[in-house]
Amino acid sequence: AQRVTQPEKLLSVFKGAPVELKCNYSYSGSPELFWYVQYSRQRLQLLLRHISRESIKGFTADLNKGETSFHLKKPFAQEEDSAMYYCALSYGGATNKLIFGTGTLLAVQP
Amino acid sequence: DTGVSQDPRHKITKRGQNVTFRCDPISEHNRLYWYRQTLGQGPEFLTYFQNEAQLEKSRLLSDRFSAERPKGSFSTLEIQRTEQGDSAMYLCASSLLAGGVGSSYNEQFFGPGTRLTVL
């Protein structure tokens, strides 16, 4: 079955420190992977998707099919990055439904 | 605000009562999704519509749950005979399917959610 695993419920770092939010997935085909973010009192929104290969707000994520991982990275954390981050998978077909991980709360300390 | 809207934002009900939630998608979006999120978990897919047709339902959607999108615009999610285990955040998302079925992912835009508490 398709599954997304985010092993860390909470990641606390200091401002300016590097950040890596881990995400592993299980799917035998070719999924599309995403990172969604939810800032305090705001709705869930798309941060980035692997096929676009963009850097959004300084964040990047590389799909590693060999390790079935899609870790989210940022070299220098900012306080405004504090939020809940969800890794999600879509295995296409007709639905394009999303399968989410349990989320990681990133807390950036001043 | 031209984003996805949901009503009500909060609902408290007693066990056994029926509740109905509404979702208004972004106006030109032809796909609408319902997800449920319980404490400490990520959103879980419940069902989705393409225009007015309900094309897939999750096994999470018991026979007490029913969803409609009668005119291909807004959608309602009804829970009959609510149970305490139904307490959750119910999220709606919409997207525009372009390029036909099987085309690459189209971004889903989420609403603020309806928080249901069953006492």
Side-chain angles (χ1 to χ4, degrees), chain A residues 94-95, chain B residues 30-32 45 47-58 97 101:
Chain A
T95 310
Chain B
N30 50 13
R31 283 197 161 181
L32 187 149
F45 170 79
T47 188
Y48 95 104
F49 293 84
Q50 182 164 317
N51 301 311
E52 66 276 8
Q54 187 175 17
L55 297 185
E56 185 172 336
K57 293 192 289 187
S58 162
L97 175 66
V101 168

Side-chain angles (χ1 to χ4, degrees), chain A residues 9 32 34 36 38 43-46 49 51 86 90-103, chain B residues 1 3-4 31 33 35 37 40-43 45 48 56 97 101-108 110-112:
Chain A
K9 286 195 175 297
E32 293 197 50
F34 309 87
Y36 275 78
Q38 188 167 26
R43 62 189 66 189
L44 200 59
Q45 59 186 283
L46 179 65
R49 50 193 292 193
I51 62 171
Y86 293 95
S90 173
Y91 53 91
T95 310
N96 280 333
K97 64 187 178 188
L98 293 168
I99 297 172
F100 287 88
T102 51
Chain B
D1 186 0
V4 178
R31 283 197 161 181
Y33 300 80
Y35 292 85
Q37 185 174 20
Q41 301 298 315
F45 170 79
Y48 95 104
E56 185 172 336
L97 175 66
V101 168
S103 61
S104 64
Y105 178 79
N106 299 284
E107 180 178 351
Q108 293 181 27
F110 282 81

